[in-house]
Amino acid sequence: MDRCPHCKIDRPSLREIHSFPTSASDGSRGRIWKTYACERCGGAVTGYAWSQGGDVMKTFPESSVVDESIPKKAKAFLNQANNSLHAPSGAIMLSASAVDSMLKEKGYKDGSLYSRINLAVNDHLITENMATWAHEVRLDANDERHADDDAGLPNSNDAEKTVDFALALAEFLFVLPSKVKRGIKDATEPSE
């Protein structure tokens, strides 16, 4: 596992804490499950293999992957934000950069991020609630970039909220439209 799915630390130290076999009611599909704990954050990870010592087939929770339909620069910011949750200030600033990049990709390039968020609402690209959340991310990032004396240091929960919004915005602006286009294409192509 390249990163802990909880704290996103690179090359996590995962300690095995439990192992057990399971199978389907008819005795088929036997698997060996193992539970691990991240030495850094204490988060639990489970995974299974088809045999003792075999290759891990799947882990839970799965490591998050940023969708390929998101434009390159926004995707890079999202990956970096997601992978730096252990450094909340950085994750928050990277999330704001991802929001900024996504709006620019949609043609909102002029003015401040504040004005571009508001213009995106006026043009019905995003909803009022999404704009409220985007402004919160923008303000949180401003606190970090400007080392605001009145703002406390963010924690990992604060960082997760901003990353979650940036990922949700990417889903809304790029991933869902891409899935819809693929679905329409698949539905209209003649089947063989």
Side-chain angles (χ1 to χ4, degrees):
M1 181 169 276
D2 292 337
R3 293 189 176 273
C4 171
H6 301 287
C7 68
K8 310 299 188 214
I9 194 77
D10 190 24
R11 294 185 305 273
S13 176
L14 297 173
R15 177 177 42 89
E16 182 182 329
I17 56 175
H18 191 62
S19 177
F20 57 95
T22 64
S23 62
S25 61
D26 65 1
S28 67
R29 296 185 46 84
R31 291 179 269 187
I32 304 296
W33 290 86
K34 293 192 177 192
T35 305
Y36 303 87
C38 175
E39 292 291 332
R40 182 182 183 282
C41 71
V45 178
T46 60
Y48 71 86
W50 296 115
S51 61
Q52 187 68 36
D55 290 336
V56 175
M57 302 308 295
K58 195 165 188 177
T59 60
F60 305 91
E62 292 182 284
S63 295
S64 57
V65 177
V66 178
D67 194 274
E68 293 298 318
S69 64
I70 299 167
K72 184 178 178 180
K73 194 168 188 177
K75 181 179 176 188
F77 286 132
L78 287 169
N79 274 321
Q80 290 178 41
N82 199 32
N83 292 336
S84 62
L85 287 170
H86 62 280
S89 292
I92 289 169
M93 288 186 284
L94 286 161
S95 294
S97 293
V99 170
D100 192 23
S101 180
M102 286 185 272
L103 288 175
K104 286 178 178 174
E105 189 67 33
K106 288 293 186 177
Y108 297 88
K109 297 181 181 189
D110 297 329
S112 66
L113 180 55
Y114 172 85
S115 65
R116 287 184 279 119
I117 291 169
N118 290 339
L119 187 56
V121 171
N122 290 340
D123 291 348
H124 304 290
L125 178 68
I126 61 175
T127 67
E128 294 268 346
N129 287 335
M130 293 170 84
T132 299
W133 202 358
H135 282 305
E136 286 178 28
V137 169
R138 178 185 59 79
L139 291 170
D140 288 347
N142 283 349
D143 288 346
E144 299 313 300
R145 281 196 317 271
H146 303 298
D148 189 342
D149 290 336
D150 295 330
L153 287 173
N155 59 38
S156 60
N157 289 334
D158 299 326
E160 283 180 30
K161 288 176 189 173
T162 60
V163 171
D164 285 349
F165 171 73
L167 289 168
L169 185 63
E171 182 83 16
F172 180 78
L173 293 178
F174 301 103
V175 178
L176 288 175
S178 173
K179 287 179 181 179
V180 169
K181 284 180 185 174
R182 278 194 310 268
I184 291 170
K185 181 181 176 197
D186 292 346
T188 58
E189 285 183 353
S191 56
E192 296 176 27

